[in-house]
Amino acid sequence: MKRQKRDQLERAFGKGYMAGIDGRSRSICPHETGQTRQQWMSGWRESRTDQWDGFNRAAQVQKLSNLH
Protein backbone atom coordinates (compact mmCIF):
# COMPACT_ATOMS: atom_id res chain seq x y z
CA MET A 1 0.00 0.00 0.00
CA LYS A 2 1.41 3.36 -0.99
CA ARG A 3 1.51 6.18 1.52
CA GLN A 4 0.53 9.61 0.37
CA LYS A 5 3.00 12.37 0.98
CA ARG A 6 1.93 14.82 3.60
CA ASP A 7 1.08 18.30 2.56
CA GLN A 8 4.23 20.41 2.20
CA LEU A 9 2.78 23.18 4.37
CA GLU A 10 1.86 20.72 7.10
CA ARG A 11 5.39 19.35 7.07
CA ALA A 12 6.87 22.85 7.26
CA PHE A 13 4.70 23.63 10.30
CA GLY A 14 5.78 20.41 12.01
CA LYS A 15 9.46 20.99 11.31
CA GLY A 16 9.21 24.53 12.64
CA TYR A 17 7.39 23.32 15.73
CA MET A 18 10.13 20.75 16.38
CA ALA A 19 12.83 23.40 15.92
CA GLY A 20 11.07 25.52 18.52
CA ILE A 21 10.84 22.59 20.94
CA ASP A 22 14.58 22.05 20.56
CA GLY A 23 15.19 25.72 21.39
CA ARG A 24 16.67 26.53 18.01
CA SER A 25 16.73 30.01 16.58
CA ARG A 26 14.14 31.04 14.04
CA SER A 27 16.98 32.17 11.79
CA ILE A 28 17.63 28.52 10.83
CA CYS A 29 14.41 28.39 8.82
CA PRO A 30 15.29 26.50 5.63
CA HIS A 31 12.74 28.37 3.51
CA GLU A 32 13.53 31.76 2.02
CA THR A 33 10.06 33.05 1.13
CA GLY A 34 6.48 32.02 0.56
CA GLN A 35 3.86 30.07 2.40
CA THR A 36 6.21 27.31 3.49
CA ARG A 37 8.32 29.89 5.34
CA GLN A 38 5.19 31.34 6.94
CA GLN A 39 4.08 27.89 8.09
CA TRP A 40 7.53 27.03 9.43
CA MET A 41 7.62 30.29 11.37
CA SER A 42 4.07 29.71 12.65
CA GLY A 43 5.08 26.30 13.96
CA TRP A 44 8.18 27.74 15.60
CA ARG A 45 6.19 30.55 17.25
CA GLU A 46 3.49 28.18 18.50
CA SER A 47 6.03 25.85 20.11
CA ARG A 48 7.79 28.76 21.81
CA THR A 49 4.44 30.07 23.08
CA ASP A 50 3.58 26.61 24.40
CA GLN A 51 6.89 26.51 26.28
CA TRP A 52 6.23 29.92 27.81
CA ASP A 53 2.75 28.73 28.81
CA GLY A 54 4.28 25.85 30.77
CA PHE A 55 4.10 22.89 28.39
CA ASN A 56 6.98 20.49 28.90
CA ARG A 57 8.72 18.75 26.01
CA ALA A 58 6.61 15.57 26.26
CA ALA A 59 3.38 17.57 26.18
CA GLN A 60 4.57 19.51 23.15
CA VAL A 61 5.50 16.35 21.24
CA GLN A 62 2.08 14.89 22.09
CA LYS A 63 0.38 18.05 20.85
CA LEU A 64 2.31 17.91 17.57
CA SER A 65 1.34 14.27 17.02
CA ASN A 66 -2.32 15.12 17.64
CA LEU A 67 -2.21 17.88 15.01
CA HIS A 68 -1.39 15.37 12.25
Side-chain angles (χ1 to χ4, degrees):
M1 182 186 307
K2 288 186 178 182
R3 295 178 66 189
Q4 288 184 333
K5 285 187 177 180
R6 276 191 255 149
D7 181 28
Q8 189 175 22
L9 297 178
E10 182 181 319
R11 289 187 62 196
F13 181 88
K15 296 284 186 181
Y17 195 89
M18 287 303 295
I21 289 174
D22 293 339
R24 296 188 180 148
S25 171
R26 65 182 178 182
S27 64
I28 67 161
C29 178
H31 308 284
E32 294 295 319
T33 60
Q35 283 188 321
T36 51
R37 179 176 174 80
Q38 289 175 354
Q39 286 295 341
W40 193 94
M41 294 297 286
S42 293
W44 183 86
R45 279 188 213 102
E46 187 166 334
S47 71
R48 301 303 293 165
T49 301
D50 288 346
Q51 279 186 337
W52 296 326
D53 288 343
F55 283 58
N56 63 15
R57 184 178 176 87
Q60 286 181 296
V61 171
Q62 181 66 39
K63 178 180 177 178
L64 182 61
S65 68
N66 288 339
L67 291 176
H68 296 302

